[in-house]
Amino acid sequence: MYRHLEHRLAQHVRDFLRRTYGLEMPKIVIEQPPRVELGEYALPLAFELAKKLRKPPRKIAEEIVSGIGPIEGFEKLELAGAGYINARLKRNELAAALAADEQPHAEVPSGKVLVEHSSINPNKAAHIGHLRNATLGDTFVRLLKFAGREVDVQNYIDNTGVQVADVVVGFLSIEKKSRAEIEQLSRQPRFDYYCWDLYARVSQWYEQDKQNLAARQQALHAIEEGGNETAAIADLISVSVLRRHLETMDRLDIEYDFLPRESEILHLHFWEAAFTKLKDSGVLFLENEGKNKGCWVMRRAGTQKSETAEGPELAEEDQKVIVRSNGTVGYVGKDIAYHLWKFGLLGRDFGYRKFYRYPNGHDCWISTTVGALEHPHFGDVSEIYNVIDARQAEAQNTVIEALRELGYGDQANHYTHFSYEMVALTPRCAAELGYELSEEDKARSFIEVSGRKGFGVKADDLTDTLIASARKEVDARHPQLNDAARGKIATQIAIGALRYFMLKFTKSSVIAFDFKEALSFEGETGPYAQYAVVRATNIFRKGGLDPDGFRSEVASKVTASEFARFLAGEAANEIWELWLASAKTSYIVDQCIATTEPAYLAKHVFQLAQLFNAFYHRHPILSEPDESRKKFLLLTVAVVRREMMRSLAVLGITVPPVM
């Protein structure tokens, strides 16, 4: 409702400016006053118009306030300061609409959105950094779906790269295992853990003798070529580890629709089709001199290319190598081909087969060279969001630049690199996980992780540790519950803590993970928000009422005059602030999507929980002697509870029955 009313206010202002001043202003800036007693919206418009109209801002603001006329849902506009305009809502009308859960019509953009996230190398166990990627991506998917968009969720699998080759080398060159022995190992419950340790050993083996690196190149070549024993072993390893990754993410309620693999991009000749397009359009050219001689290169994003009689001229440092002089294609080249497919521009498609079924019955598909005749339609989307860490910015920009130079400007404009920073550990967290720290390490603000060195936090270990910690608290507080019930509650608290911790920081922040901070029932944490909902639910339980049933029944019976009575005046500002915050869920979701920043919704949940807890301590709801006021207070709790649960669900967090 808050978003809808903001749009209505903006449209009335546009109409006034058009008929009064002959001005067209597509974008009207609307802010939020610092305190609810000043109103619900603030317009700094007059300051922007002062130069155009050659009038003082306050004079313009006066003309707008006096001339705009009535606006449905608004009590009035007021002049403030040197030219601000504050807009006051009819509190009772917004409260009645919110209580009834009215959902005004909103225009939803057409076309399917593709969100690619996780993209974990299938060579070892997922780690804490992957959890940030997956949680950000999954939450963004939920945000888009909340806003009514159709979304495809993809998890790109680099099953032919260096990381997989290194584990193959470990099995064949260090452990001397046969394919049959590797297959037997792959049936172990945590085969990905075995590969984690082996991967670190391979890195050490390379360091011991640089000649050992030749084994990596041989493995890489065999894997890319396909149709041989080494490639078969690589496929065995990557598929087994990939299945473990899906199980790990499923614990956090993270699902995928399709797993496109690099092996199919190679074997189905996606790159050849893209290469032809890039050469024919002049995006790629063959360099004949310098260090990039014999390479196919393109202009590095953000640089300028000039033309000569002989063709394009580009300084060496401004060249991005796409195909090396030995004919091998770099990561970016394959990524360009993949993104042409995403937008339906390649003229080729994957084969498909079902790979993984989630407990809820949802099927995840994987790419093959020849697959099922009937399958969901993937690709051919209108918008792309790639959740990839900040270190990949140049590669992402190069793909966007290639699309633009191929003439696909609209697609390039709808390609978003959803960038984020790394996850580290606090020294305390690293010590709790059993890592030996030097005095220098202990003094640091965070400890970086390294998969190649085997130093890091496996995603499943982190989840297990959080569940175990939560279980101790649940066991102590609720010994009357059976073992299964306590286990489920502990899991909900732990997953809520983990997801919220990963989401409350802005994407550009480096996270230093800490168990104690994440699991705290106080402060800005998932358990704090969950506890606020449990507290709200307990009010109805003690009163013998169903919160949802109460809200739907009472919402239609509370009169406008009753809402006005309890929400009018300065004494009601505190409660009105709670109602107003509850009205902003869709508004905040829009902000999160526009800025690719889920942290705003996490802040919204925390603010609601804070406001509700303050309200809870100030108002003895069930003992309120005035029945009308008691009904209004209970309705307030029901609305806030609904909006907190709705927002937490978008964050991927469920609420346990008790805390």
Side-chain angles (χ1 to χ4, degrees), residues 1 24 45 109 199 271 375 411 419 463 524 608:
M1 285 300 298
E24 292 290 341
L45 178 67
Y199 182 61
W271 167 245
H375 56 80
Q411 287 83 354
S419 174
T463 304
E524 192 176 354
L608 273 176

Side-chain angles (χ1 to χ4, degrees), residues 315-371:
E316 197 172 84
E317 63 271 16
D318 294 338
Q319 297 176 359
K320 177 66 178 178
V321 175
I322 304 299
V323 183
R324 303 179 188 94
S325 57
N326 63 4
T328 58
V329 187
Y331 164 78
V332 173
K334 287 175 277 192
D335 213 27
I336 291 170
Y338 174 38
H339 283 84
L340 287 170
W341 170 82
K342 284 183 177 181
F343 279 122
L345 302 170
L346 190 64
R348 294 176 184 262
D349 199 4
F350 293 102
Y352 301 90
R353 69 176 173 88
K354 292 180 182 178
F355 180 73
Y356 188 88
R357 173 160 286 189
Y358 292 97
N360 62 8
H362 176 68
D363 286 317
C364 177
W365 294 70
I366 196 168
S367 63
T368 65
T369 50
V370 179

Side-chain angles (χ1 to χ4, degrees), residues 8-9 12-13 15-16 19-20 62-77:
R8 183 182 294 167
L9 174 61
H12 273 74
V13 171
D15 293 344
F16 175 83
R19 68 174 181 264
T20 306
E62 287 174 350
E63 293 173 358
I64 294 172
V65 168
S66 62
I68 197 167
I71 305 174
E72 184 184 353
F74 285 81
E75 182 183 333
K76 60 181 175 179
L77 302 189

Side-chain angles (χ1 to χ4, degrees), residues 324-607:
R324 303 179 188 94
S325 57
N326 63 4
T328 58
V329 187
Y331 164 78
V332 173
K334 287 175 277 192
D335 213 27
I336 291 170
Y338 174 38
H339 283 84
L340 287 170
W341 170 82
K342 284 183 177 181
F343 279 122
L345 302 170
L346 190 64
R348 294 176 184 262
D349 199 4
F350 293 102
Y352 301 90
R353 69 176 173 88
K354 292 180 182 178
F355 180 73
Y356 188 88
R357 173 160 286 189
Y358 292 97
N360 62 8
H362 176 68
D363 286 317
C364 177
W365 294 70
I366 196 168
S367 63
T368 65
T369 50
V370 179
L373 294 176
E374 293 185 9
H375 56 80
H377 180 69
F378 298 110
D380 195 19
V381 299
S382 300
E383 298 175 53
I384 292 171
Y385 291 89
N386 287 339
V387 185
I388 304 176
D389 75 51
R391 292 169 294 184
Q392 299 299 319
E394 183 186 7
Q396 290 290 296
N397 289 336
T398 301
V399 177
I400 294 171
E401 191 64 37
L403 289 170
R404 203 177 300 284
E405 292 203 15
L406 283 168
Y408 302 126
D410 185 59
Q411 287 83 354
N413 291 337
H414 289 90
Y415 178 132
T416 301
H417 175 201
F418 189 120
S419 174
Y420 67 95
E421 280 294 347
M422 69 172 184
V423 183
L425 308 174
T426 62
R428 178 173 63 186
C429 181
E432 287 173 355
L433 287 163
Y435 291 108
E436 292 186 12
L437 303 178
S438 66
E439 290 304 316
E440 184 181 354
D441 287 334
K442 293 175 184 176
R444 291 177 179 171
S445 55
F446 60 83
I447 307 293
E448 290 188 43
V449 298
S450 171
R452 285 197 174 275
K453 296 177 181 177
F455 182 82
V457 182
K458 301 180 187 73
D460 280 315
D461 283 351
L462 177 62
T463 304
D464 290 342
T465 303
L466 285 168
I467 291 173
S469 296
R471 181 62 188 262
K472 289 178 183 177
E473 192 70 26
V474 173
D475 286 347
R477 294 184 181 210
H478 304 285
Q480 78 284 1
L481 297 176
N482 63 43
D483 185 74
R486 295 200 306 273
K488 183 177 179 181
I489 292 166
T491 299
Q492 287 177 292
I493 293 170
I495 299 305
L498 178 55
R499 289 191 66 119
Y500 192 92
F501 195 92
M502 292 294 179
L503 294 167
K504 73 175 182 176
F505 299 95
T506 55
K507 301 174 303 173
S508 58
S509 305
V510 174
I511 293 179
F513 189 83
D514 186 86
F515 289 114
K516 186 176 180 180
E517 183 182 347
L519 276 171
S520 174
F521 278 48
E522 299 297 328
E524 192 176 354
T525 67
Y528 177 79
Q530 289 171 315
Y531 187 68
V533 178
V534 170
R535 174 174 272 171
T537 303
N538 283 341
I539 293 171
F540 288 94
R541 181 179 55 79
K542 290 175 183 176
L545 300 167
D546 172 66
D548 296 319
F550 175 86
R551 183 193 54 76
S552 60
E553 180 184 348
V554 172
S556 60
K557 295 179 180 178
V558 178
T559 65
S561 60
E562 284 181 302
F563 273 121
R565 172 190 164 197
F566 295 121
L567 290 172
E570 286 188 21
N573 282 341
E574 170 226 324
I575 293 180
W576 173 240
E577 187 175 9
L578 186 53
W579 278 85
L580 185 62
S582 298
K584 291 181 180 178
T585 302
S586 293
Y587 172 81
I588 300 295
V589 167
D590 279 356
Q591 276 192 323
C592 292
I593 293 171
T595 59
T596 60
E597 187 55 90
Y600 295 142
L601 187 60
K603 300 291 182 188
H604 173 63
V605 169
F606 179 56
Q607 181 192 24

Side-chain angles (χ1 to χ4, degrees), residues 27 47 53 70 101 116 119 145 150 164 185 203 215 224 313 351 368 373 387 399 407 418 500 502 508 590 641:
K27 183 170 178 59
F47 299 100
L53 300 178
D101 201 17
E116 179 196 328
S119 302
K145 288 181 176 179
E150 181 185 2
V164 171
L185 278 171
S203 297
E224 288 196 7
E313 186 176 274
T368 65
L373 294 176
V387 185
V399 177
F418 189 120
Y500 192 92
M502 292 294 179
S508 58
D590 279 356
R641 174 184 176 274

Side-chain angles (χ1 to χ4, degrees), residues 249-267:
M249 295 306 169
D250 191 26
R251 299 180 73 186
L252 275 69
D253 200 19
I254 295 171
E255 298 181 355
Y256 311 93
D257 299 316
F258 178 47
L259 311 170
R261 295 188 294 181
E262 188 165 295
S263 53
E264 276 68 56
I265 287 178
L266 291 170
H267 300 149

